[in-house]
Amino acid sequence: MDVASGEERGTTERVLTLLGLLQQRQVWTGPELADRLGVTPRTVRRDVERLRTLGYPVHASQGVGGGYRLGAGQDLPPLLLDDEEAIATVVSLLAGASGAVAGDAALRALTKLDRVLPTRLRHEVRALSGSVESFGGGRTPVDPGALMTLARACRDEVEAGFDYLPPDFVREVTPGSEIRRRRVEPYRLVASDRRWYLLAYDLDRDDWRSFRVDRMTEVSARAWKFRPREAPDAATYVQESVASRVYPHQARFLVHASAGTVRAQIPASAAVVRERGSELCEVLSGAGSLDFVLMHVLLLGHDFEVLDPPELGARCRVLAERLLSAGAEGNE
């Protein structure tokens, strides 16, 4: 073993041990730390300076009750990560931030990680976090490598490419399944209550599109930078796509209840709820049939009016007469 590298590793282990001791209790005297570490007080002072160089605020005070203590940030873990480990951690936290239960904790962890990482990595953490938006909490597993590649492409404003599987795909693609290669200018990653999506400008279709990340394979980023276009709001665009535009029929309703009340009743991926007053909201949704959308709005239990399409109003009257007739026959 190389002597120099062995000494360096020993110093690193000792400094980590020192940091762990400082996190265990409020104050340590110099002699106490020297005894626990098996070194001289002078070496303790040098190791304290190493921790300060790494960004840990170690304070020293003299006199009775004095000693070494960690200042603000003393609850932070002793993270010493290389670049790849830091990126892997960010990917995991980004995925956790999309969960309904652990989302807030993951976002707090991202903030803490940003504080303790070396300066050269802080910008990357902030940039990756800024590439993600949310209107719910994603749960469908996705390839972390694909997610990171797309997040970096959003941040760096470079073109991305991927094979996009058909809607009824399985991971083992069956013979005859159509897989299309897509070339895009990626803008934002968006987490819904079920999945991760990418909002991007589709270069072959010359328009904005949303893509499910779990349907992507062979994801790659190119070196070609692009000039960002004027983009729609990412979360709103993807939510409207998921809730209505992907279906053959769309409908709008004016519901006599607050937006907060209705949002608590409908998953974010099933409908877009817009506030129209303290006790009114607009609901936009889609389905394979208008009757299906109508049934779900009816089951919310609030008074409502049909805004679009006009033929849905006529359909309401037909169904109302049928229900009245069924009720009358049942009372005979």
Side-chain angles (χ1 to χ4, degrees):
M1 179 181 68
D2 180 75
V3 175
S5 63
E7 291 177 352
E8 182 179 349
R9 183 163 58 252
T11 300
T12 300
E13 292 173 355
R14 190 178 65 248
V15 170
L16 286 174
T17 302
L18 171 60
L19 181 57
L21 291 172
L22 291 171
Q23 288 181 322
Q24 288 178 13
R25 74 187 202 195
Q26 188 71 21
V27 179
W28 290 85
T29 65
E32 285 176 329
L33 290 174
D35 182 64
R36 292 292 294 269
L37 296 171
V39 297
T40 65
R42 182 179 180 182
T43 300
V44 170
R45 289 193 294 272
R46 288 177 176 173
D47 289 347
V48 166
E49 286 303 317
R50 291 186 176 99
L51 283 177
R52 289 169 177 164
T53 301
L54 291 171
Y56 291 93
V58 183
H59 302 303
S61 57
Q62 303 293 327
V64 179
Y68 294 102
R69 65 181 178 85
L70 282 175
Q74 60 185 337
D75 294 328
L76 293 173
L79 292 175
L80 293 175
L81 305 175
D82 61 29
D83 290 11
E84 290 184 358
E85 292 168 337
I87 294 304
T89 302
V90 169
V91 172
S92 299
L93 289 173
L94 287 174
S98 68
V101 176
D104 290 343
L107 288 174
R108 290 198 302 271
L110 273 172
T111 302
K112 290 182 178 180
L113 180 60
D114 186 36
R115 280 202 298 266
V116 301
L117 281 177
T119 303
R120 69 178 184 277
L121 295 181
R122 290 179 182 173
H123 172 72
E124 186 158 358
V125 171
R126 292 194 185 103
L128 292 173
S129 301
S131 295
V132 178
E133 298 185 13
S134 174
F135 63 82
R139 291 191 178 91
T140 301
V142 297
D143 176 16
L147 198 64
M148 180 53 63
T149 297
L150 294 171
R152 283 175 171 165
C154 291
R155 179 200 65 197
D156 297 338
E157 298 174 351
V158 296
E159 291 183 15
F162 48 86
D163 290 343
Y164 202 53
L165 299 171
D168 55 350
F169 79 98
V170 291
R171 278 299 169 190
E172 292 75 20
V173 181
T174 57
S177 297
E178 184 180 4
I179 303 178
R180 300 178 179 177
R181 188 69 183 174
R182 312 301 281 266
R183 298 183 310 114
V184 302
E185 295 176 354
Y187 178 63
R188 287 289 187 275
L189 285 166
V190 179
S192 79
D193 56 350
R194 297 175 60 193
R195 300 183 176 95
W196 280 97
Y197 295 86
L198 172 70
L199 173 63
Y201 193 86
D202 193 317
L203 294 172
D204 295 321
R205 289 154 184 80
D206 198 26
D207 199 3
W208 290 99
R209 291 287 191 274
S210 61
F211 302 93
R212 278 173 47 179
V213 177
D214 62 305
R215 285 173 53 187
M216 298 179 183
T217 62
E218 304 298 326
V219 179
S220 62
R222 312 180 72 179
W224 297 346
K225 292 184 68 68
F226 61 85
R227 178 174 296 179
R229 306 168 188 266
E230 184 175 351
D233 178 78
T236 300
Y237 183 94
V238 173
Q239 186 186 14
E240 290 180 355
S241 296
V242 172
S244 64
R245 282 196 292 266
V246 296
Y247 296 102
H249 300 283
Q250 295 84 39
R252 288 193 308 124
F253 304 89
L254 183 66
V255 179
H256 292 247
S258 69
T261 298
V262 176
R263 287 193 184 108
Q265 295 178 283
I266 305 177
S269 60
V272 178
V273 181
R274 301 185 179 119
E275 185 175 345
R276 291 283 293 269
S278 59
E279 294 300 324
L280 287 174
C281 65
E282 181 181 319
V283 174
L284 171 66
S285 188
S289 72
L290 289 176
D291 283 1
F292 189 83
V293 182
L294 187 60
M295 177 189 69
H296 279 273
V297 175
L298 178 65
L299 292 177
L300 293 176
H302 310 297
D303 292 337
F304 67 91
E305 304 164 28
V306 175
L307 299 178
D308 284 308
E311 60 267 26
L312 188 54
R315 184 61 180 166
C316 284
R317 289 187 288 274
V318 171
L319 294 177
E321 291 174 1
R322 187 176 299 169
L323 289 170
L324 287 172
S325 176
E329 293 175 359
N331 292 328
E332 291 179 357

